[in-house]
Structure formats: C-alpha cells, structure tokens
Amino acid sequence: MRLTALNERAEMIGLKPGQGVAEAKAICPILDIVEEDLAADRKLLEAIADWCDRYTPLVAIDGKDGLFLDITGCAHLFGGEEALLEDVLIRISRLGLDVRGAISSAPGLSWAVARFDDCRVVPPEAMEEALAPLPVASLRLGEETVAALQKMGLKQTGDLLAAPRAPLARRFGTQLILRLDQAVGLVEEPISPRRPVAQLSAERRLVEPVQAEADLLELARQLAETLKPGLEARGVGGRSFELLLFRVDGEVFRIAAGASQPLREPRRIASLFTERFTAIHDDLDVGYGFEIVRLNVLRHAAFDATQGDFVGEGRQDSSLAAFVDRVAARLGPDCLQGFELRQSHIPERASRPVPAMHVLAAHRRTGSDHAGHGFFRGERPLRLFRMPELIETVAAEVPDGPPRQFRWRRVMHRVQRAEGPERLSAEWWVEEKEEPARDYFQIEDEEGHRFWLFRKGLYGRGGTGPDWYMHGVFA
C-alpha cells in the first residue's frame, strides 16, 4: 500500500506521494491513513464542476483532480479575468479545498501554470515567457518521455522552445511538438463540456438567498419572461427545460421538465416546475437558501402560433397537452404512454409503447392521429397481450376451422360464434428460423366474452397437432 495524496502537514514532515504506508508510519507513527475511494473522488469533482456552472456553462473535467472552464465572453460579468480567478479560488477555498488555478489563452498553458507556478492570469503576449521556466513535466507528457528529456539535460520547457524541432520530433515523437504548440497557443485545443450547452439561458443572482418554494417558482416565471423574447425571435418554443438552483454552501440542484408541445408562455413553463417541486419535495434540501437561480432551454422546436376563436375550437388539444405535461412532470415521462406503429404485420411487433409526450409531439408535426407508420388488417382487440399465452386444450374443426371449445387459465369456454381465419405469415426476413403461419379467429363464448386467438400451424402437418395461443381480449 502506498500514499496517493497528502495534506499540507504530511508534506511538511517529509512524506511524498508513492511512498509506502509502512515507511510513512515509521516516520510518523500517528499518521492518519484513509483508503482511497476513486468513485467518491469522482463524485466530488463532478459536484465542483456543477458548482463552477455559475461562471460558465462550458466546464470540462480534466483527469482526477482538474477542471477546464472556457470563460470566453464571461469574464466581464465578474469584473475581469483577475477578479474572476480570485473569486473562484476564494470561494472554493472556503469550501475546505486546496485549489490552484490560472487563466490564459491556451488550456495547456493554464494547466501548466496552475500546477507548477503561481496562480495568475497570463496575457497572450507573455505565453512563451510564462512557459519557459516551467519543468518539462508541465507539458502533460508521459513519465518515460519526461525522464528521457531530463536525462538529456532538457529539464525546462525553455530548453525545448529553443531547440530545433526536427531532432526533437525524431527522438521523442510528434506528441512532444504537439504539446509545445498547444501550450503556446499555436494549435487550438478544444474543450469538451461535460453537459450539453443550453440553447437559451436566463439567470438571476440574488442579494439574499431564498428558501420558500413559492419564491423559487416566481423566479422561474420571471426567468421564463426573460426568455420569451429570445424564443419569439427564433420562432421556436421550448420543449425541454432545466432549472438550476445554486445553494449558498456549494450544492447545485438540477430540476428538469419537458413539454409535449413547444412552450413560450411563462406561466405554462413555471407550472411544469410546480409539478416537479411536488414530486421531489422531500429530496430538495434548501439548507440556508439558494443564491443563484438559472433557467435553461435545453431543446426547442418550431412554434406554430394559432389564433383562438370564439367557440373554443382547438382548446381540447392544448388542454390535453397541458394535462400530459403536468402528469409527466410530477410522475415521470413514462407514466402516460401511447403507441407508435411499426412496419410489421405481426401483432406483437406492429406497435410499441412510447411516452405520451412523444405521441403528442409526433401528432403535432404530422397532423396525423398516429405517431408512426404502419397498418392493421381486421379488427384488433382492446387489450393485446405482450406475448401470446398458450391455450391448454382445444377441440377444433379440422383442418382450418375455428375451435368449438378451449380451456384457458383453467376455465373451459364453449364457443358460440367465431369469425376467421385471418392468416398472418411469418416474417422470414426477421425470424432466425422458419416459423409456421398463424390463423387468427375472433371468438365469442356462451357468456358473451370475446377473444382473439390463433392457431400456429395446421393439422396434419408433422407428427403432432398445432398449438393454440390467446393473444388478446375484446372486452
């Protein structure tokens, strides 16, 4: 077992990362050892990344202990780059963490300065000057490459900047040249945000933290008012929204809500979060209150403005969409489901359940009552089983006639009326092995119960008779 991380007091007594635990305890018998938990460390780093969303939505995780923040166009909101850096370092330090940071025009240079120099802002004209005195390990190279460079006497980055590039590339590979160019800004290094960037966003920074749910909902409505002109200018409405609540102690809550139809009306948008607050009431710990509230539009769609009439025509569709949105916000998007048709004539494959929000959205796009394309032949039962159920015993007319009586779920049914057969052949382009055709019958027993069952195969084919299956009931 070896040491992987140390606090300041441990470093002061001479302990180093990679040192054996037994040796470390021999140096300091009262040393407190905590087993490393990579999952917990990752969770903490992601929580800090969420907290950094207050500065910019473009936050990327770098390794096990670093973050990249793309603050392009954001620094002036905090009084400039130096003021922003100071604010970040002070706030994270108050959370009980040891933090270092730097700002420059190149992510590679910021990484190097933050880890091997003082926390500061490096102007574009001083990039090479800031990089030159740093060790070659600041270029994010592999340990073998760093050791080989040091063995040749190339210990500082300035030694590499002054050396001819062709011999360096032949001896150490092109990765060394790439890291040099990235550090001085000659090659652009993109940052991949850990979360999708919002299409539109509005934020309110509060002088006094708020705790009441009613105040948060009113802030959400006001932020929706702010977003409305932007949605109108684009000719769109929001389909997916996210409310971010930044608690004063650094905790960040993300509350997502979706809509079946594009929305612009602030009260409708706020009502979605009313239902979400009802659903997550016990999980939302307000603590000492929230100091920043932000509303994001994660996804939008074209908005078709319709003029209302005097007889209320069209209100039913909008009220249905509002009902689906409210229920989905409170109980989840899968609580209400519709069906999407698929290109298959096998009944259990001809449709699949999808959230009702998607069905309404598809109906709005196509103007059709169906969320997909497909077809049915003949009447289908009101309740279709997910998989056909084997019928125990059947007495039937042969070779192609309907059953006279059958036992299903331990109950004997005597057939009064029958209609069929409707033959459905197997889909040979889908099936892994050859399947016999199905003959479907609509059956009504003596008590008036109606069933939809089928015979798989035919009598007189093979050594045993065909099997019968129950696939649905009409009432």
Side-chain angles (χ1 to χ4, degrees):
M1 297 180 64
R2 297 188 176 276
L3 302 179
T4 58
L6 306 170
N7 63 7
E8 293 181 356
R9 293 187 60 186
E11 291 177 347
M12 290 175 60
I13 62 177
L15 301 183
K16 297 179 181 180
Q19 192 172 21
V21 173
E23 180 182 355
K25 285 193 172 183
I27 298 174
C28 180
I30 61 172
L31 190 65
D32 186 13
I33 302 294
V34 179
E35 186 175 354
E36 184 180 29
D37 188 342
L38 296 178
D41 292 344
R42 181 72 177 188
K43 185 177 180 181
L44 174 62
L45 188 61
E46 290 179 349
I48 300 173
D50 284 338
W51 180 88
C52 287
D53 278 353
R54 65 179 58 220
Y55 300 104
T56 172
L58 304 178
V59 180
I61 292 180
D62 174 51
K64 299 191 299 182
D65 60 351
L67 296 174
F68 279 128
L69 278 66
D70 187 345
I71 60 171
T72 305
C74 301
H76 69 282
L77 300 175
F78 302 89
E81 294 180 346
E82 293 184 357
L84 188 151
L85 179 60
E86 183 180 1
D87 188 70
V88 172
L89 299 180
I90 291 176
R91 286 178 177 269
I92 297 183
S93 297
R94 289 174 179 173
L95 298 177
L97 301 173
D98 183 16
V99 59
R100 301 177 60 83
I103 295 179
S104 73
S105 300
L109 181 58
S110 298
W111 190 95
V113 173
R115 286 168 168 78
F116 296 92
D117 202 350
D118 295 331
C119 301
R120 58 193 176 102
V121 177
V122 180
E125 64 273 10
M127 295 178 66
E128 290 193 13
E129 181 183 350
L131 184 65
L134 303 183
V136 293
S138 66
L139 294 176
R140 297 175 293 171
L141 301 171
E143 294 182 359
E144 295 181 359
T145 303
V146 172
L149 289 169
Q150 293 176 345
K151 187 179 297 185
M152 295 184 61
L154 302 173
K155 298 181 179 181
Q156 293 182 331
T157 307
D159 300 332
L160 300 177
L161 293 173
R165 291 199 161 203
L168 288 177
R170 287 196 300 268
R171 177 64 178 84
F172 302 102
T174 58
Q175 182 70 13
L176 172 60
I177 305 301
L178 176 62
R179 289 303 191 189
L180 274 174
D181 290 341
Q182 288 177 341
V184 296
L186 296 178
V187 175
E188 185 177 356
E189 183 178 359
I191 292 178
S192 299
R194 53 190 292 268
R195 295 185 180 275
V197 181
Q199 305 288 341
L200 285 172
S201 181
E203 181 180 287
R204 180 71 57 83
R205 293 177 179 268
L206 307 172
V207 178
E208 293 291 337
V210 297
Q211 294 178 309
E213 182 178 308
D215 295 336
L216 294 174
L217 292 173
E218 176 59 21
L219 286 171
R221 188 196 65 78
Q222 294 176 10
L223 293 174
E225 290 275 8
T226 305
L227 291 175
K228 187 176 180 180
L231 294 171
E232 291 176 344
R234 291 169 169 80
V236 298
R239 285 288 312 278
S240 179
F241 301 90
E242 183 183 48
L243 186 67
L244 274 71
L245 305 176
F246 293 82
R247 208 167 62 185
V248 293
D249 63 350
E251 186 75 17
V252 180
F253 292 88
R254 296 178 179 270
I255 305 174
S260 58
Q261 296 182 350
L263 298 181
R264 289 180 184 170
E265 179 58 36
R267 293 190 179 277
R268 283 283 305 277
I269 297 173
S271 67
L272 298 179
F273 293 103
T274 302
E275 302 300 333
R276 291 297 298 138
F277 278 131
T278 302
I280 65 173
H281 179 74
D282 295 334
D283 297 329
L284 184 63
D285 183 7
V286 299
Y288 292 103
F290 301 101
E291 59 180 348
I292 301 176
V293 179
R294 180 187 300 164
L295 180 62
N296 292 333
V297 179
L298 299 181
R299 186 164 54 93
H300 57 57
F303 186 89
D304 296 331
T306 57
Q307 181 177 354
D309 53 25
F310 293 104
V311 297
E313 185 177 352
R315 291 183 180 178
Q316 184 175 359
D317 292 340
S318 61
S319 62
L320 175 61
F323 169 76
V324 171
D325 293 343
R326 290 182 59 188
V327 175
R330 179 176 295 191
L331 303 178
D334 297 330
C335 64
L336 295 177
Q337 293 188 332
F339 290 93
E340 180 183 64
L341 300 183
R342 306 177 68 187
Q343 292 288 359
S344 176
H345 61 265
I346 303 299
E348 63 266 27
R349 299 175 183 167
S351 64
R352 63 178 179 181
V354 295
M357 297 174 63
H358 297 173
V359 177
L360 292 177
H363 171 68
R364 176 183 174 276
R365 289 195 305 268
T366 63
S368 169
D369 291 335
H370 300 292
H373 300 284
F375 63 92
F376 286 122
R377 293 186 300 171
E379 185 180 2
R380 293 296 182 256
L382 181 65
R383 180 187 176 192
L384 188 70
F385 299 153
R386 186 181 298 272
M387 294 299 296
E389 296 184 8
L390 182 65
I391 298 176
E392 300 169 8
T393 57
V394 178
E397 299 176 355
V398 293
D400 297 327
R404 294 181 177 177
Q405 63 180 19
F406 60 91
R407 182 184 297 275
W408 175 58
R409 293 183 177 179
R410 300 182 181 181
V411 177
M412 181 64 71
H413 299 271
R414 300 184 184 278
V415 177
Q416 184 70 22
R417 297 181 180 84
E419 181 179 340
E422 175 189 352
R423 178 162 295 179
L424 298 180
S425 299
E427 297 177 337
W428 54 267
W429 59 93
V430 175
E431 303 290 350
E432 295 182 358
K433 61 180 181 179
E434 184 177 357
E435 293 286 340
R438 300 179 181 182
D439 285 344
Y440 279 87
F441 294 89
Q442 298 182 31
I443 301 296
E444 182 178 334
D445 65 6
E446 294 177 344
E447 297 181 358
H449 300 145
R450 297 181 63 207
F451 307 95
W452 200 48
L453 48 81
F454 69 89
R455 179 184 61 240
K456 191 173 184 180
L458 297 172
Y459 288 98
R461 304 284 179 89
T464 60
D467 293 326
W468 289 79
Y469 293 87
M470 182 68 65
H471 207 153
V473 293
F474 286 91

